[in-house]
Amino acid sequence: MTTTTTVGAASARLSYARPVSSRRPKPGRHRSHRARTLHLLDLENLVDGYVACESVESVWNEYRQVTGMLADEQAIVSVAKRNAKAAFFALPSGVRRVIGSDGPNGADAALIDSIDAKRVAANFGQVMLASGDHIFTPTVQQFLNFGVPVVQVIGGGFSAYELYAACTSQLYLAEARRSALGRRKSAAG
């Protein structure tokens, strides 16, 4: 890299020949240009109700790839009590696990109860919500009111229109969607 600096009428030519690999980030600077992200996953929605170790591992890997999830980002995963064993043994150790009741929307309610929108707004620049359940719409509105954009990640389950419309943007887990469609077709026929 060659730069020319001009001081008054004189000009000097400086040459730098430092290899890229020897450059180090300045202390206190984060290497990523993306806002710090909180990942909220309704695992049962992502796998369309089919919670088994292999489906959880597959969806988790696809989720990380599609969202560009960094190793140091916080993820909170919720499932119903009946699915906790199969789901949680398939997830990496750094993931925060939340267990909900076995009733309708039990895992969803547990995930919502585990977060505070004001605290999220103070510590994160965006939220990725992996669910399609309408129960999350008021929570998404709270994040948006605090100025935190919400990206909806859609997997094997369906998405409620209210939630889809409330989120800032959407990402799709194509393989999870194909697997869920295949299971639906085989169950129907």
Side-chain angles (χ1 to χ4, degrees):
M1 172 171 150
T2 305
T3 60
T4 304
T5 57
T6 306
V7 180
S11 100
R13 221 169 159 79
L14 302 173
S15 177
Y16 300 97
R18 193 165 89 184
V20 174
S21 62
S22 69
R23 295 182 192 159
R24 294 183 191 171
K26 293 181 181 177
R29 291 192 167 226
H30 196 273
R31 291 184 196 117
S32 175
H33 297 288
R34 186 174 85 179
R36 188 167 178 226
T37 304
L38 174 63
H39 299 268
L40 302 173
L41 292 88
D42 171 8
L43 195 58
E44 292 162 342
N45 188 270
L46 285 181
V47 297
D48 193 35
Y50 181 68
V51 182
C53 285
E54 58 275 357
S55 65
V56 171
E57 286 177 6
S58 174
V59 162
W60 178 257
N61 291 332
E62 185 180 9
Y63 178 88
R64 287 192 52 144
Q65 181 181 23
V66 169
T67 62
M69 183 179 182
L70 302 174
D72 63 341
E73 290 181 334
Q74 185 176 352
I76 305 173
V77 177
S78 71
V79 294
K81 186 177 180 181
R82 69 179 172 276
N83 295 320
K85 187 176 181 182
F88 291 161
F89 282 118
L91 293 172
S93 61
V95 175
R96 184 172 159 208
R97 294 148 166 84
V98 177
I99 299 174
S101 69
D102 286 335
N105 296 322
D108 303 337
L111 185 57
I112 291 168
D113 291 343
S114 74
I115 53 175
D116 175 26
K118 189 174 183 178
R119 182 170 284 177
V120 169
N123 294 296
F124 296 94
Q126 73 175 349
V127 171
M128 290 204 184
L129 174 64
S131 183
D133 295 334
H134 73 282
I135 195 171
F136 289 102
T137 305
T139 305
V140 168
Q141 289 298 332
Q142 286 179 342
F143 291 141
L144 295 174
N145 290 342
F146 283 115
V148 179
V150 180
V151 178
Q152 181 185 22
V153 182
I154 302 172
F158 296 104
S159 177
Y161 174 76
E162 301 87 15
L163 180 62
Y164 185 91
C167 290
T168 311
S169 62
Q170 284 74 26
L171 294 173
Y172 295 87
L173 304 182
E175 186 56 39
R177 294 176 67 78
R178 275 193 290 277
S179 295
L181 182 61
R183 282 191 301 275
R184 283 186 211 121
K185 283 183 179 180
S186 66

Short mmCIF file of all heavy atoms in Angstrom, two decimals, residues 69-121:
data_model
loop_
_atom_site.label_atom_id
_atom_site.label_comp_id
_atom_site.label_asym_id
_atom_site.label_seq_id
_atom_site.Cartn_x
_atom_site.Cartn_y
_atom_site.Cartn_z
N MET A 69 -24.98 -17.11 12.73
CA MET A 69 -24.81 -17.02 14.18
C MET A 69 -23.34 -17.15 14.56
O MET A 69 -22.64 -18.07 14.14
CB MET A 69 -25.61 -18.13 14.87
CG MET A 69 -25.58 -18.09 16.35
SD MET A 69 -26.61 -19.44 16.97
CE MET A 69 -26.47 -19.15 18.71
N LEU A 70 -22.88 -16.20 15.36
CA LEU A 70 -21.50 -16.21 15.83
C LEU A 70 -21.39 -17.05 17.10
O LEU A 70 -22.37 -17.20 17.84
CB LEU A 70 -21.03 -14.78 16.11
CG LEU A 70 -21.10 -13.82 14.91
CD1 LEU A 70 -20.75 -12.41 15.33
CD2 LEU A 70 -20.20 -14.29 13.78
N ALA A 71 -20.22 -17.58 17.36
CA ALA A 71 -20.02 -18.48 18.49
C ALA A 71 -20.31 -17.82 19.84
O ALA A 71 -20.73 -18.48 20.78
CB ALA A 71 -18.60 -19.03 18.48
N ASP A 72 -20.10 -16.50 19.94
CA ASP A 72 -20.28 -15.83 21.23
C ASP A 72 -21.66 -15.20 21.41
O ASP A 72 -21.91 -14.51 22.38
CB ASP A 72 -19.20 -14.78 21.43
CG ASP A 72 -19.25 -13.66 20.41
OD1 ASP A 72 -19.87 -13.85 19.34
OD2 ASP A 72 -18.65 -12.60 20.66
N GLU A 73 -22.58 -15.44 20.49
CA GLU A 73 -23.92 -14.86 20.61
C GLU A 73 -24.79 -15.73 21.52
O GLU A 73 -24.65 -16.95 21.55
CB GLU A 73 -24.57 -14.71 19.24
CG GLU A 73 -23.89 -13.62 18.44
CD GLU A 73 -24.49 -13.41 17.07
OE1 GLU A 73 -25.09 -14.34 16.50
OE2 GLU A 73 -24.35 -12.29 16.57
N GLN A 74 -25.70 -15.07 22.22
CA GLN A 74 -26.56 -15.77 23.17
C GLN A 74 -27.77 -16.35 22.47
O GLN A 74 -28.43 -15.69 21.67
CB GLN A 74 -27.01 -14.82 24.27
CG GLN A 74 -27.81 -15.51 25.35
CD GLN A 74 -28.18 -14.58 26.49
OE1 GLN A 74 -27.73 -13.45 26.57
NE2 GLN A 74 -29.01 -15.07 27.39
N ALA A 75 -28.06 -17.61 22.80
CA ALA A 75 -29.24 -18.29 22.25
C ALA A 75 -30.04 -18.88 23.40
O ALA A 75 -29.48 -19.46 24.33
CB ALA A 75 -28.82 -19.39 21.29
N ILE A 76 -31.36 -18.71 23.32
CA ILE A 76 -32.27 -19.29 24.31
C ILE A 76 -33.23 -20.19 23.53
O ILE A 76 -33.89 -19.74 22.60
CB ILE A 76 -33.06 -18.20 25.07
CG1 ILE A 76 -32.11 -17.20 25.72
CG2 ILE A 76 -33.97 -18.85 26.11
CD1 ILE A 76 -32.82 -16.00 26.34
N VAL A 77 -33.28 -21.46 23.93
CA VAL A 77 -34.11 -22.45 23.24
C VAL A 77 -35.16 -22.97 24.21
O VAL A 77 -34.84 -23.33 25.35
CB VAL A 77 -33.25 -23.63 22.73
CG1 VAL A 77 -34.11 -24.69 22.08
CG2 VAL A 77 -32.20 -23.13 21.74
N SER A 78 -36.41 -23.03 23.75
CA SER A 78 -37.48 -23.55 24.61
C SER A 78 -38.16 -24.74 23.96
O SER A 78 -38.30 -24.81 22.73
CB SER A 78 -38.52 -22.47 24.90
OG SER A 78 -39.27 -22.19 23.74
N VAL A 79 -38.55 -25.69 24.82
CA VAL A 79 -39.35 -26.85 24.41
C VAL A 79 -40.28 -27.20 25.56
O VAL A 79 -40.07 -26.78 26.69
CB VAL A 79 -38.48 -28.09 24.06
CG1 VAL A 79 -37.63 -27.86 22.84
CG2 VAL A 79 -37.65 -28.53 25.22
N ALA A 80 -41.28 -28.01 25.24
CA ALA A 80 -42.17 -28.53 26.28
C ALA A 80 -41.42 -29.60 27.07
O ALA A 80 -40.47 -30.21 26.58
CB ALA A 80 -43.43 -29.12 25.66
N LYS A 81 -41.86 -29.82 28.28
CA LYS A 81 -41.20 -30.77 29.18
C LYS A 81 -41.06 -32.16 28.54
O LYS A 81 -40.02 -32.81 28.68
CB LYS A 81 -41.99 -30.86 30.49
CG LYS A 81 -41.35 -31.70 31.55
CD LYS A 81 -42.16 -31.66 32.83
CE LYS A 81 -41.50 -32.52 33.90
NZ LYS A 81 -42.29 -32.50 35.13
N ARG A 82 -42.06 -32.62 27.82
CA ARG A 82 -42.03 -33.95 27.22
C ARG A 82 -40.93 -34.10 26.16
O ARG A 82 -40.51 -35.20 25.85
CB ARG A 82 -43.40 -34.30 26.64
CG ARG A 82 -43.77 -33.48 25.43
CD ARG A 82 -45.14 -33.87 24.84
NE ARG A 82 -45.53 -32.95 23.81
CZ ARG A 82 -46.14 -31.80 23.99
NH1 ARG A 82 -46.45 -31.40 25.21
NH2 ARG A 82 -46.45 -31.01 22.98
N ASN A 83 -40.47 -32.98 25.59
CA ASN A 83 -39.46 -33.02 24.54
C ASN A 83 -38.07 -32.58 25.01
O ASN A 83 -37.13 -32.56 24.21
CB ASN A 83 -39.88 -32.13 23.37
CG ASN A 83 -41.12 -32.64 22.69
OD1 ASN A 83 -41.29 -33.84 22.51
ND2 ASN A 83 -41.99 -31.73 22.31
N ALA A 84 -37.94 -32.24 26.27
CA ALA A 84 -36.69 -31.66 26.76
C ALA A 84 -35.50 -32.60 26.60
O ALA A 84 -34.42 -32.19 26.16
CB ALA A 84 -36.84 -31.24 28.21
N LYS A 85 -35.67 -33.84 26.95
CA LYS A 85 -34.55 -34.79 26.91
C LYS A 85 -34.01 -34.93 25.49
O LYS A 85 -32.80 -34.80 25.25
CB LYS A 85 -35.00 -36.14 27.45
CG LYS A 85 -33.92 -37.15 27.63
CD LYS A 85 -34.49 -38.41 28.27
CE LYS A 85 -33.44 -39.45 28.51
NZ LYS A 85 -34.01 -40.67 29.09
N ALA A 86 -34.87 -35.20 24.54
CA ALA A 86 -34.43 -35.38 23.15
C ALA A 86 -33.82 -34.10 22.58
O ALA A 86 -32.84 -34.15 21.84
CB ALA A 86 -35.60 -35.83 22.28
N ALA A 87 -34.40 -32.98 22.92
CA ALA A 87 -33.94 -31.72 22.35
C ALA A 87 -32.63 -31.25 22.96
O ALA A 87 -31.70 -30.88 22.24
CB ALA A 87 -35.00 -30.64 22.54
N PHE A 88 -32.54 -31.26 24.25
CA PHE A 88 -31.41 -30.62 24.92
C PHE A 88 -30.11 -31.41 24.81
O PHE A 88 -29.04 -30.83 24.84
CB PHE A 88 -31.75 -30.32 26.37
CG PHE A 88 -32.79 -29.24 26.51
CD1 PHE A 88 -33.49 -29.09 27.68
CD2 PHE A 88 -33.07 -28.37 25.47
CE1 PHE A 88 -34.46 -28.09 27.82
CE2 PHE A 88 -34.03 -27.37 25.59
CZ PHE A 88 -34.72 -27.23 26.77
N PHE A 89 -30.17 -32.72 24.68
CA PHE A 89 -28.94 -33.48 24.50
C PHE A 89 -28.34 -33.25 23.12
O PHE A 89 -27.15 -33.49 22.91
CB PHE A 89 -29.17 -34.97 24.75
CG PHE A 89 -29.26 -35.31 26.21
CD1 PHE A 89 -30.40 -35.86 26.74
CD2 PHE A 89 -28.19 -35.07 27.05
CE1 PHE A 89 -30.48 -36.16 28.10
CE2 PHE A 89 -28.25 -35.36 28.40
CZ PHE A 89 -29.40 -35.92 28.92
N ALA A 90 -29.13 -32.80 22.18
CA ALA A 90 -28.64 -32.57 20.82
C ALA A 90 -28.07 -31.16 20.63
O ALA A 90 -27.44 -30.89 19.61
CB ALA A 90 -29.77 -32.81 19.82
N LEU A 91 -28.27 -30.28 21.59
CA LEU A 91 -27.80 -28.90 21.46
C LEU A 91 -26.43 -28.71 22.10
O LEU A 91 -26.08 -29.41 23.04
CB LEU A 91 -28.81 -27.95 22.13
CG LEU A 91 -30.17 -27.85 21.46
CD1 LEU A 91 -31.12 -27.05 22.34
CD2 LEU A 91 -30.06 -27.22 20.10
N PRO A 92 -25.65 -27.73 21.62
CA PRO A 92 -24.36 -27.46 22.23
C PRO A 92 -24.50 -26.94 23.66
O PRO A 92 -25.55 -26.45 24.06
CB PRO A 92 -23.74 -26.38 21.33
CG PRO A 92 -24.71 -26.07 20.29
CD PRO A 92 -25.92 -26.90 20.47
N SER A 93 -23.42 -27.02 24.42
CA SER A 93 -23.48 -26.70 25.85
C SER A 93 -23.73 -25.23 26.15
O SER A 93 -24.26 -24.90 27.20
CB SER A 93 -22.20 -27.16 26.54
OG SER A 93 -21.09 -26.48 25.98
N GLY A 94 -23.37 -24.31 25.27
CA GLY A 94 -23.51 -22.88 25.56
C GLY A 94 -24.91 -22.33 25.37
O GLY A 94 -25.15 -21.15 25.64
N VAL A 95 -25.84 -23.15 24.96
CA VAL A 95 -27.21 -22.70 24.70
C VAL A 95 -28.01 -22.70 26.00
O VAL A 95 -27.98 -23.67 26.75
CB VAL A 95 -27.89 -23.62 23.66
CG1 VAL A 95 -29.34 -23.25 23.48
CG2 VAL A 95 -27.15 -23.57 22.35
N ARG A 96 -28.71 -21.61 26.24
CA ARG A 96 -29.59 -21.54 27.43
C ARG A 96 -30.88 -22.30 27.12
O ARG A 96 -31.53 -22.05 26.10
CB ARG A 96 -29.89 -20.08 27.76
CG ARG A 96 -30.70 -19.93 29.01
CD ARG A 96 -30.80 -18.48 29.42
NE ARG A 96 -31.95 -18.31 30.28
CZ ARG A 96 -32.63 -17.19 30.39
NH1 ARG A 96 -32.25 -16.13 29.72
NH2 ARG A 96 -33.66 -17.11 31.19
N ARG A 97 -31.25 -23.19 28.01
CA ARG A 97 -32.41 -24.05 27.80
C ARG A 97 -33.56 -23.61 28.70
O ARG A 97 -33.35 -23.36 29.88
CB ARG A 97 -32.03 -25.49 28.10
CG ARG A 97 -31.02 -26.07 27.12
CD ARG A 97 -30.11 -27.08 27.80
NE ARG A 97 -29.35 -27.89 26.88
CZ ARG A 97 -28.19 -27.52 26.35
NH1 ARG A 97 -27.68 -26.34 26.65
NH2 ARG A 97 -27.54 -28.31 25.53
N VAL A 98 -34.78 -23.58 28.13
CA VAL A 98 -35.96 -23.21 28.88
C VAL A 98 -37.00 -24.30 28.65
O VAL A 98 -37.28 -24.66 27.51
CB VAL A 98 -36.52 -21.84 28.41
CG1 VAL A 98 -37.80 -21.50 29.14
CG2 VAL A 98 -35.49 -20.76 28.60
N ILE A 99 -37.55 -24.82 29.75
CA ILE A 99 -38.55 -25.88 29.66
C ILE A 99 -39.91 -25.32 30.02
O ILE A 99 -40.08 -24.70 31.07
CB ILE A 99 -38.20 -27.05 30.60
CG1 ILE A 99 -36.85 -27.64 30.21
CG2 ILE A 99 -39.28 -28.12 30.56
CD1 ILE A 99 -36.35 -28.70 31.17
N GLY A 100 -40.87 -25.54 29.13
CA GLY A 100 -42.24 -25.09 29.36
C GLY A 100 -43.14 -26.25 29.71
O GLY A 100 -42.72 -27.42 29.68
N SER A 101 -44.37 -25.95 30.04
CA SER A 101 -45.33 -27.00 30.38
C SER A 101 -45.71 -27.77 29.11
O SER A 101 -45.46 -27.33 28.00
CB SER A 101 -46.57 -26.39 31.02
OG SER A 101 -47.30 -25.65 30.06
N ASP A 102 -46.32 -28.93 29.30
CA ASP A 102 -46.72 -29.77 28.18
C ASP A 102 -48.02 -29.30 27.53
O ASP A 102 -48.43 -29.84 26.52
CB ASP A 102 -46.87 -31.23 28.63
CG ASP A 102 -45.52 -31.89 28.85
OD1 ASP A 102 -44.53 -31.44 28.25
OD2 ASP A 102 -45.46 -32.87 29.63
N GLY A 103 -48.67 -28.31 28.09
CA GLY A 103 -49.94 -27.82 27.54
C GLY A 103 -49.73 -26.98 26.29
O GLY A 103 -48.60 -26.74 25.86
N PRO A 104 -50.83 -26.52 25.71
CA PRO A 104 -50.73 -25.67 24.52
C PRO A 104 -49.95 -24.39 24.83
O PRO A 104 -50.16 -23.75 25.86
CB PRO A 104 -52.19 -25.32 24.19
CG PRO A 104 -53.02 -26.30 24.94
CD PRO A 104 -52.20 -26.76 26.11
N ASN A 105 -49.02 -24.05 23.96
CA ASN A 105 -48.18 -22.85 24.08
C ASN A 105 -47.32 -22.83 25.35
O ASN A 105 -46.86 -21.77 25.76
CB ASN A 105 -49.02 -21.57 24.02
CG ASN A 105 -49.70 -21.41 22.69
OD1 ASN A 105 -49.13 -21.73 21.65
ND2 ASN A 105 -50.93 -20.92 22.70
N GLY A 106 -47.10 -23.98 25.98
CA GLY A 106 -46.30 -24.03 27.20
C GLY A 106 -44.86 -23.60 26.98
O GLY A 106 -44.32 -22.80 27.75
N ALA A 107 -44.24 -24.10 25.93
CA ALA A 107 -42.85 -23.73 25.63
C ALA A 107 -42.77 -22.27 25.20
O ALA A 107 -41.82 -21.56 25.54
CB ALA A 107 -42.27 -24.64 24.55
N ASP A 108 -43.76 -21.82 24.46
CA ASP A 108 -43.80 -20.42 24.01
C ASP A 108 -43.88 -19.47 25.20
O ASP A 108 -43.14 -18.48 25.28
CB ASP A 108 -44.99 -20.17 23.09
CG ASP A 108 -45.00 -21.09 21.88
OD1 ASP A 108 -43.93 -21.61 21.51
OD2 ASP A 108 -46.09 -21.31 21.32
N ALA A 109 -44.78 -19.78 26.12
CA ALA A 109 -44.94 -18.92 27.31
C ALA A 109 -43.67 -18.92 28.15
O ALA A 109 -43.28 -17.87 28.68
CB ALA A 109 -46.13 -19.41 28.14
N ALA A 110 -43.01 -20.06 28.27
CA ALA A 110 -41.77 -20.13 29.04
C ALA A 110 -40.67 -19.28 28.39
O ALA A 110 -39.91 -18.60 29.09
CB ALA A 110 -41.31 -21.58 29.17
N LEU A 111 -40.60 -19.29 27.07
CA LEU A 111 -39.61 -18.48 26.36
C LEU A 111 -39.90 -17.00 26.55
O LEU A 111 -39.00 -16.21 26.83
CB LEU A 111 -39.59 -18.84 24.87
CG LEU A 111 -38.53 -18.17 24.01
CD1 LEU A 111 -37.13 -18.43 24.53
CD2 LEU A 111 -38.65 -18.63 22.56
N ILE A 112 -41.16 -16.61 26.44
CA ILE A 112 -41.54 -15.21 26.64
C ILE A 112 -41.23 -14.77 28.07
O ILE A 112 -40.72 -13.66 28.29
CB ILE A 112 -43.03 -15.01 26.29
CG1 ILE A 112 -43.23 -15.16 24.78
CG2 ILE A 112 -43.52 -13.64 26.77
CD1 ILE A 112 -44.67 -15.26 24.35
N ASP A 113 -41.52 -15.63 29.04
CA ASP A 113 -41.26 -15.30 30.44
C ASP A 113 -39.77 -15.19 30.76
O ASP A 113 -39.38 -14.55 31.74
CB ASP A 113 -41.90 -16.32 31.37
CG ASP A 113 -43.42 -16.24 31.37
OD1 ASP A 113 -43.96 -15.20 30.92
OD2 ASP A 113 -44.06 -17.21 31.82
N SER A 114 -38.93 -15.81 29.94
CA SER A 114 -37.49 -15.82 30.23
C SER A 114 -36.75 -14.57 29.75
O SER A 114 -35.57 -14.42 30.01
CB SER A 114 -36.85 -17.06 29.59
OG SER A 114 -36.75 -16.91 28.18
N ILE A 115 -37.46 -13.68 29.08
CA ILE A 115 -36.81 -12.48 28.54
C ILE A 115 -37.49 -11.21 29.04
O ILE A 115 -38.67 -11.21 29.36
CB ILE A 115 -36.79 -12.48 27.00
CG1 ILE A 115 -38.19 -12.70 26.45
CG2 ILE A 115 -35.83 -13.53 26.46
CD1 ILE A 115 -38.30 -12.60 24.96
N ASP A 116 -36.71 -10.14 29.08
CA ASP A 116 -37.20 -8.82 29.45
C ASP A 116 -36.85 -7.88 28.30
O ASP A 116 -35.67 -7.67 28.00
CB ASP A 116 -36.54 -8.37 30.75
CG ASP A 116 -36.90 -6.95 31.15
OD1 ASP A 116 -37.98 -6.47 30.75
OD2 ASP A 116 -36.09 -6.32 31.86
N ALA A 117 -37.86 -7.36 27.62
CA ALA A 117 -37.64 -6.54 26.43
C ALA A 117 -36.74 -5.34 26.69
O ALA A 117 -35.90 -4.99 25.86
CB ALA A 117 -38.98 -6.08 25.85
N LYS A 118 -36.90 -4.71 27.84
CA LYS A 118 -36.08 -3.54 28.16
C LYS A 118 -34.60 -3.93 28.31
O LYS A 118 -33.71 -3.24 27.81
CB LYS A 118 -36.59 -2.89 29.45
CG LYS A 118 -35.96 -1.56 29.75
CD LYS A 118 -36.63 -0.90 30.94
CE LYS A 118 -36.06 0.47 31.21
NZ LYS A 118 -36.72 1.13 32.33
N ARG A 119 -34.35 -5.03 28.97
CA ARG A 119 -32.97 -5.52 29.13
C ARG A 119 -32.38 -5.95 27.78
O ARG A 119 -31.21 -5.71 27.51
CB ARG A 119 -32.93 -6.68 30.11
CG ARG A 119 -31.52 -7.18 30.36
CD ARG A 119 -31.48 -8.15 31.48
NE ARG A 119 -31.60 -7.38 32.71
CZ ARG A 119 -31.65 -7.91 33.91
NH1 ARG A 119 -31.60 -9.20 34.07
NH2 ARG A 119 -31.76 -7.15 34.98
N VAL A 120 -33.20 -6.59 26.97
CA VAL A 120 -32.74 -6.99 25.63
C VAL A 120 -32.36 -5.75 24.83
O VAL A 120 -31.31 -5.71 24.19
CB VAL A 120 -33.82 -7.81 24.90
CG1 VAL A 120 -33.47 -8.00 23.43
CG2 VAL A 120 -34.01 -9.16 25.58
N ALA A 121 -33.19 -4.72 24.88
CA ALA A 121 -32.91 -3.48 24.14
C ALA A 121 -31.62 -2.82 24.61
O ALA A 121 -30.89 -2.22 23.81
CB ALA A 121 -34.08 -2.51 24.28
#
